[in-house]
Amino acid sequence: MGILNITPDSFSDGGSYSALEFAVSHAEQMIADGVDIIDIGGESTRPGIPPVPLDEELRRVMPVIYALRDCGKPLSIDTYKPEVMREALLAEADMINDINGFRAPGAIDAVKDSAAALCIMHMQGQPQTMQQEPLYINVVDQVCAFLQERVQALEAAGVARERLCIDPGFGFGKSVEHNYALLKNTQHLIQRLGLPLLAGMSRKSMIGAITGKPLEQRLAGSIGAALAAAAQGAMIVRVHDVVETVDALKVWQAAIGAAPDN
């Protein structure tokens, strides 16, 4: 899954792709690089950033969705706003990736009757405050319990289990220790919940904490994290650096005897 941020305040690309033409160009490059899914987001969720008004998020993402919907790759929309979900689905988006786990009023109603895939993420707190002393008794158990409850809520609304995947929410209300506890238990999470898992660690502070590298120098660490998750069964890795991660995964798959997809 390649990240396409349509935000002037993105934590990683600084809004380099905020204009439509640059967004499309970047998406085309990701496709050439071997991306499988393009994840479009119109609101930065890095710690401390204020929320984006609904109209502004729609203004950012909808032209990109329409421009890319015939690109030949599934489009995922990274949003927690039910109104954006509805508009994206009307524009034939293939997946809704919700950092809020479809907890907002109206979120489940917005997606339940579609055919789109749904990614349920765990987040403790809100983006503005989530990294202010996150606290767990047992992070793995608590993340599992949250995700299971949200899966049950979606299934109770009539959503087929085959549409669902889970995301432990690396960096969303977690300390470095919490993040690596979850990464070490990726296989355990998959087995307990019985669903495909998406791992999004690209360039995050959990990488910098181990490597000591600033944001722009976290490529190698991010690839290491992606491989660690994939080795434990993660079905999707969400990354900024598509071609490098694709190459790393191809070599890893060849080394363990798995056949690459291409």
Side-chain angles (χ1 to χ4, degrees):
M1 175 181 278
I3 299 167
L4 183 57
N5 289 320
I6 320 296
T7 58
D9 55 357
S10 167
F11 85 99
S12 63
D13 61 33
S16 300
Y17 306 111
S18 57
L20 176 61
E21 60 269 28
F22 289 110
V24 172
S25 175
H26 186 52
E28 290 172 345
Q29 184 61 57
M30 288 197 291
I31 292 168
D33 290 342
V35 78
D36 294 306
I37 306 168
I38 299 172
D39 193 45
I40 300 168
E43 178 172 354
S44 174
T45 50
R46 69 184 175 95
I49 292 295
V52 170
L54 170 62
D55 289 349
E56 176 63 17
E57 185 175 349
L58 288 169
R59 186 190 66 79
R60 293 176 184 179
V61 302
M62 294 310 300
V64 179
I65 297 172
Y66 281 110
L68 294 177
R69 65 179 180 176
D70 295 321
C71 72
K73 297 294 181 179
L75 300 183
S76 167
I77 311 307
D78 181 358
T79 187
Y80 58 86
K81 297 185 177 75
E83 298 88 347
V84 178
M85 297 177 191
R86 290 183 189 278
E87 292 298 321
L89 291 170
L90 286 172
E92 303 178 2
D94 302 283
M95 181 176 187
I96 303 295
N97 180 14
D98 184 1
I99 65 167
N100 198 38
F102 300 94
R103 288 181 290 171
I108 292 179
D109 286 341
V111 301
K112 67 180 183 179
D113 295 326
S114 73
L118 307 174
C119 185
I120 308 164
M121 198 193 83
H122 174 275
M123 173 175 61
Q124 186 180 88
Q126 299 299 319
Q128 295 75 36
T129 58
M130 63 188 177
Q131 289 306 105
Q132 295 175 11
E133 300 182 4
L135 181 64
Y136 299 86
I137 297 172
N138 182 308
V139 67
V140 176
D141 286 346
Q142 288 176 251
V143 168
C144 271
F146 170 88
L147 293 172
Q148 187 61 58
E149 185 276 327
R150 298 316 301 155
V151 168
Q152 291 170 352
L154 284 155
E155 288 185 313
V159 176
R161 190 175 182 86
E162 292 72 23
R163 292 174 56 192
L164 305 179
C165 68
I166 53 170
D167 180 348
F170 295 103
F172 284 81
K174 281 100 177 171
S175 67
V176 173
E177 292 76 15
H178 296 144
N179 286 318
Y180 282 97
L182 289 166
L183 179 55
K184 290 174 187 176
N185 283 278
T186 297
Q187 187 174 31
H188 176 71
L189 291 167
I190 295 168
Q191 290 173 344
R192 280 183 62 174
L193 289 154
L195 288 168
L197 184 142
L198 182 155
M201 297 170 283
S202 180
R203 302 185 186 175
K204 289 185 177 178
S205 60
M206 64 179 287
I207 307 299
I210 299 301
T211 64
K213 299 293 176 62
L215 189 65
E216 63 276 8
Q217 296 178 24
R218 294 177 185 167
L219 171 59
S222 297
I223 291 173
L227 291 175
Q232 294 187 67
M235 187 69 69
I236 304 170
V237 287
R238 182 178 182 273
V239 304
H240 297 88
D241 304 289
V242 172
V243 68
E244 294 88 350
T245 309
V246 167
D247 285 352
L249 285 167
K250 284 180 177 178
V251 172
W252 170 73
Q253 288 172 328
I256 65 170
D261 292 333
N262 54 8

